[in-house]
């Protein structure tokens, strides 16, 4: 479904070429501001075309994959758009994962090259050494250190390459991947098209958020997330705005520094981040910032956080829900029509249905499984036909979330369909955390659920049964998980129990554990 006022892209469509063409009259305007300097739109266009030429010179062919393991900076944008420009498929991955995760992704994608930030090179090298891959080329960004044998310096490679013409790609051609975690913990390569980037920029970036050329945007969500990719690349560059990029973690202090120095007019974050900033004693005054609009996604925004933010800064937080599978937000509040506590209404250009267990739409006020129809849906999960068929059902995409809709058409989040948890906007599989905890010599069994903190945000809680005579502390087990998994997956709370509630067949009854965390009225 499309809206009458948004023209579809032409059949032959290359998104990178499209972006560069939109900004030919802005050559001297600042496009990107990162920790090391600025890049104008003219410089960005030149570097994108040169990096496309570099990939061709290295022997990369159309539709072959390159892994992007990079912190947010202008090189990330150049690498992503340069690959699209060349018809090569960038696979953007989370910078917070383990070497084991990257080894899996390299094998799954059959990446022929890796573009990596210097700080992440040791982890990548561990991944490369752990198994045989098809990686032929290593390109290192932001380094002055000696390179591994045969590796290329990103900046030097770009500067030495000849600009290339854009590949004559089809709008429906596989353009890039983002990895989405599943309930088993195994990441799924979500394959998106050239045109999908166009649709999210037109329907949400322009159509709902109303971004404009005069904006300076800053996203706490990183570029490797579907949310961050739209926030800090496709949306602002589609209107000629300027983007603030930050390599470090989006702590309150790091965000405040950008708020008061670069003066962004639009900020994108997640509820956990907003809550942390509001609780920080160094929260800037309204007079110290230039914010006109804020956006939230990744998890449901508690009403209290939204209201307190608006009371302090005088600006709304536009809360919405998107997914890796749909690329960006498809259900959202709107500027001037924010109802805190809800996720708003469908973004124009998208349809939603709330379905019951019989597959039929449920009446307003009843909880249903969320399905979405819209032009930005992914093509598939790579090499995973069963999951693809389960998620992409004809024209509809199953979200895996439960919602209710009121008589005015506003939708409210009611939880996940499965036991997956969303912590700080990132999915965490409880099974993966449980399997790690039981590797500890003192642990007999473990079960992990979501627990709401004082701000109404989901955090992981583990219930642990120790072996007879064994001892372990909460801090010890937390440190153990951090060593084995990506740090954000560790349980924030641990409670020791003599036994776990189970069914007659021995299955853990997680709903019994959730009931322990629900106050009785």
């Amino acid at each position: 479904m499309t809206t009458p006022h948004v023209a579809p892209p032409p059949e032959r469509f290359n998104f990178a070429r499209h972006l560069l063409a939109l900004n030919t009259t802005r050559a001297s305007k600042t496009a990107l501001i990162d920790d090391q300097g600025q890049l104008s739109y003219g410089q960005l266009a030149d570097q994108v075309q040169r990096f496309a030429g570099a990939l061709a010179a290295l022997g990369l062919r159309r539709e072959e994959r390159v892994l992007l393991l990079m912190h947010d900076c202008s090189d990330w944008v150049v690498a992503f758009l340069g690959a699209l420009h060349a018809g090569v498929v960038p696979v953007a991955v989370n910078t917070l994962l383990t070497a084991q995760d990257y080894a899996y992704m390299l094998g799954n994608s059959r990446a022929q090259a890796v573009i990596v930030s210097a700080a992440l090179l040791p982890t990548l090298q561990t991944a490369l050494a752990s198994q045989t891959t098809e990686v032929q080329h290593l390109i290192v960004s932001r380094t002055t250190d000696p390179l591994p044998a045969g590796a290329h310096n990103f900046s030097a490679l770009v500067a030495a390459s000849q600009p290339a013409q854009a590949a004559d790609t089809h709008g429906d051609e596989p353009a890039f991947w983002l990895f989405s975690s599943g309930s088993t913990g195994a990441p799924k390569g979500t394959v998106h098209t050239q045109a999908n980037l166009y649709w999210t920029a037109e329907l949400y970036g322009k159509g709902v958020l109303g971004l404009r050329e005069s904006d300076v945007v800053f996203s706490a969500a990183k570029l490797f997330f579907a949310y961050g990719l739209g926030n800090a690349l496709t949306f602002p560059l589609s209107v000629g705005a300027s983007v603030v990029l930050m390599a470090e973690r989006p702590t309150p202090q790091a965000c405040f520094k950008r708020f008061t120095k670069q003066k962004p007019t639009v900020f994108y974050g997640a509820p956990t981040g907003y809550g942390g900033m509001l609780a920080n004693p160094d929260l800037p005054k309204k007079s110290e910032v230039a914010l006109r609009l804020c956006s939230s996604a990744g998890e449901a925004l508690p009403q209290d956080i939204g209201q307190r933010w608006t009371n302090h800064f005088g600006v709304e937080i536009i809360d919405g829900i998107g997914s890796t599978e749909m690329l960006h937000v498809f259900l959202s509040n709107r500027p001037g029509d924010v109802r805190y506590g809800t996720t708003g209404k469908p973004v124009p250009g998208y349809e939603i249905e709330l379905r019951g267990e019989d597959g039929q739409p449920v009446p307003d006020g009843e909880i249903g499984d969320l399905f979405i129809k819209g032009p930005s849906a992914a093509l598939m999960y790579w090499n995973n036909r069963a999951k693809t068929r389960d998620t992409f059902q004809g024209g509809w995409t199953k979200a895996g979330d439960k919602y209710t809709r009121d008589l005015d058409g506003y939708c409210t989040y009611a939880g996940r369909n499965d036991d997956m948890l969303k912590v700080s906007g990132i999915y965490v599989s409880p099974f993966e955390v449980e399997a790690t905890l039981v590797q500890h010599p003192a642990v007999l069994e473990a079960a992990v659920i979501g627990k709401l903190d004082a701000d109404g945000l989901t955090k992981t809680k583990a219930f642990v049964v120790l072996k007879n005579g064994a001892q372990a502390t909460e801090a010890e087990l937390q440190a153990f998980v951090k060593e084995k998994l990506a740090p954000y997956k560790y349980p924030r709370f641990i409670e020791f129990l003599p036994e776990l509630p189970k069914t007659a067949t021995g299955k853990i009854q997680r709903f019994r554990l959730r009931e322990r965390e629900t106050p009785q009225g």
Side-chain angles (χ1 to χ4, degrees), residues 224-512:
F224 60 74
F225 289 119
Y227 183 49
L229 181 63
N231 298 346
L233 198 162
T234 60
F235 294 2
L237 299 189
S238 291
V239 299
S242 299
V243 184
V244 177
L245 297 171
M246 179 177 73
E248 65 185 295
R249 290 178 55 249
T251 62
Q253 296 297 345
C255 291
F256 297 161
K257 179 181 176 181
R258 274 77 185 176
F259 283 179
T260 56
K261 185 178 180 182
Q262 273 85 25
K263 300 282 187 178
T265 58
V266 178
F267 173 69
Y268 308 86
T272 297
Y274 284 110
M277 286 189 279
L278 285 168
N280 193 289
D282 296 324
L283 183 71
K285 299 175 183 176
K286 178 182 178 181
S287 60
E288 296 177 290
V289 305
L291 296 172
R292 72 169 185 86
L293 182 69
C294 293
S295 164
S296 179
E299 54 190 332
L301 178 72
Q303 182 176 358
D304 177 64
I305 288 179
Q307 290 174 336
R308 285 193 288 132
W309 186 269
T310 297
N311 290 341
H312 183 86
F313 286 112
V315 297
E316 298 172 317
I317 300 179
I318 309 303
D319 184 33
I321 181 177
S323 67
T324 306
E325 291 76 11
M326 293 303 295
L327 190 55
H328 212 275
V329 171
F330 50 79
L331 180 63
S332 179
N333 284 271
R334 290 164 177 69
D337 184 22
V338 170
R339 189 172 293 190
Y340 286 131
T342 79
T343 317
K345 300 178 180 179
V347 170
Y350 294 86
E351 297 177 51
I352 71 160
E353 279 189 1
L354 303 182
R355 301 179 185 174
E357 292 184 3
D358 59 0
Q360 297 302 307
V362 299
D364 287 343
E366 291 190 14
I367 294 175
D369 294 331
L370 176 63
F371 285 76
I372 316 102
K373 180 188 288 186
S376 62
L379 291 173
M380 62 177 159
Y381 298 127
W382 185 259
N383 287 352
N384 199 331
R385 195 174 188 184
K387 286 287 187 182
T388 297
R389 284 179 163 178
D390 183 55
T391 298
F392 304 103
Q393 302 180 8
W396 294 92
T397 300
K398 183 171 71 173
D401 297 287
K402 291 184 180 293
Y403 265 83
T404 61
R405 179 170 46 211
D406 65 22
L407 295 177
D408 295 327
Y410 293 86
C411 296
T412 300
Y413 180 68
R416 288 287 297 169
N417 290 4
D418 51 28
D419 281 316
M420 286 291 288
L421 304 175
K422 215 169 192 183
V423 181
S424 300
I426 308 174
Y427 284 125
V428 175
S429 168
F431 308 107
E432 185 180 25
V433 181
E434 291 163 5
T436 302
L437 280 167
V438 297
Q439 293 176 32
H440 191 281
V443 175
L444 176 65
E445 292 180 316
V448 172
I449 66 168
K451 171 184 171 69
L452 297 182
D453 67 10
D455 287 323
L457 301 172
T458 300
K459 298 291 182 283
T460 44
K461 175 169 182 176
F463 293 88
V464 171
V465 178
L466 297 177
K467 296 175 181 176
N468 284 336
Q471 292 185 340
T473 65
E474 181 177 19
E476 179 184 350
L477 294 182
Q478 288 171 330
F480 181 80
V481 174
K482 286 182 184 179
E483 290 176 0
K484 299 281 188 180
L485 299 178
Y488 66 83
K489 296 181 180 180
Y490 84 93
R492 298 329 195 258
F493 310 96
I494 294 180
E495 182 176 342
F496 296 94
L497 296 177
E499 61 181 7
L500 297 177
K502 295 177 183 176
T503 66
T505 57
K507 292 183 180 179
I508 296 172
Q509 295 176 309
R510 286 183 180 80
F511 72 94
R512 297 287 186 200

Side-chain angles (χ1 to χ4, degrees), residues 14-20 23 32 41 44-45 47-49 51-52 55 68 74-88 90 166 194 197 229 233-234 237:
N14 182 296
F15 184 77
R17 177 174 57 194
H18 165 73
L19 270 193
L20 300 189
N23 294 296
L32 306 173
Y41 272 100
L44 175 61
Q47 291 193 19
V48 165
Q49 293 171 88
F51 188 66
L55 291 175
L68 262 63
S74 61
D75 285 357
W76 200 110
V77 179
V78 170
F80 183 83
L81 292 178
L84 294 184
H85 196 268
V88 172
Q194 294 276 352
L197 295 162
L229 181 63
L233 198 162
T234 60
L237 299 189

Side-chain angles (χ1 to χ4, degrees), residues 7-303:
E11 184 177 89
R12 308 303 302 183
F13 182 74
N14 182 296
F15 184 77
R17 177 174 57 194
H18 165 73
L19 270 193
L20 300 189
L22 287 176
N23 294 296
T24 52
T25 60
R26 302 186 179 100
S28 61
K29 185 184 177 185
T30 299
L32 306 173
I33 306 162
D34 69 13
D35 300 335
Q36 294 191 11
Q38 300 184 7
L39 212 61
S40 70
Y41 272 100
Q43 292 169 321
L44 175 61
D46 179 65
Q47 291 193 19
V48 165
Q49 293 171 88
R50 287 181 183 275
F51 188 66
L55 291 175
L58 292 174
L60 271 294
R61 298 174 296 179
R62 287 271 298 272
E63 296 190 27
E64 287 187 324
R65 270 78 64 189
V66 296
L67 198 81
L68 262 63
L69 175 56
M70 306 173 71
H71 290 132
D72 283 17
C73 64
S74 61
D75 285 357
W76 200 110
V77 179
V78 170
F80 183 83
L81 292 178
L84 294 184
H85 196 268
V88 172
V89 177
V91 179
V93 299
N94 189 330
T95 58
L96 305 173
L97 302 179
T98 65
Q100 183 180 357
D101 293 319
Y102 300 133
Y104 171 82
M105 292 171 175
L106 287 166
N108 182 255
S109 66
R110 301 199 310 275
Q112 301 297 301
V114 182
I115 305 111
V116 60
S117 292
L120 298 167
L121 181 58
T123 305
L124 174 68
Q125 289 176 308
T126 301
L128 290 169
S130 68
Q131 69 175 47
T132 301
T133 72
E134 295 188 23
V135 174
Q136 304 295 316
H137 305 285
L138 182 60
I139 304 169
V140 185
S141 165
R142 301 292 170 98
T143 184
T144 56
D145 296 332
L147 295 172
H152 302 274
N153 179 285
F154 184 91
S155 297
L157 182 66
V158 170
S161 299
Q162 293 299 311
Q165 294 293 316
D168 182 27
T169 50
H170 193 287
D172 289 339
E173 191 168 311
F176 66 101
W177 295 15
L178 301 170
F179 271 96
S180 175
S181 293
S183 58
T184 61
K188 302 186 293 292
T190 310
V191 182
H192 278 283
T193 69
Q194 294 276 352
N196 285 358
L197 295 162
Y198 169 87
W199 283 118
T200 55
E202 293 295 318
L203 296 176
Y204 195 67
K206 296 179 184 178
V208 171
L209 296 180
L211 295 185
R212 45 197 187 227
E213 184 178 5
S214 58
D215 279 321
V216 176
V217 308
F218 170 46
S219 175
K222 299 300 185 180
L223 286 164
F224 60 74
F225 289 119
Y227 183 49
L229 181 63
N231 298 346
L233 198 162
T234 60
F235 294 2
L237 299 189
S238 291
V239 299
S242 299
V243 184
V244 177
L245 297 171
M246 179 177 73
E248 65 185 295
R249 290 178 55 249
T251 62
Q253 296 297 345
C255 291
F256 297 161
K257 179 181 176 181
R258 274 77 185 176
F259 283 179
T260 56
K261 185 178 180 182
Q262 273 85 25
K263 300 282 187 178
T265 58
V266 178
F267 173 69
Y268 308 86
T272 297
Y274 284 110
M277 286 189 279
L278 285 168
N280 193 289
D282 296 324
L283 183 71
K285 299 175 183 176
K286 178 182 178 181
S287 60
E288 296 177 290
V289 305
L291 296 172
R292 72 169 185 86
L293 182 69
C294 293
S295 164
S296 179
E299 54 190 332
L301 178 72
Q303 182 176 358

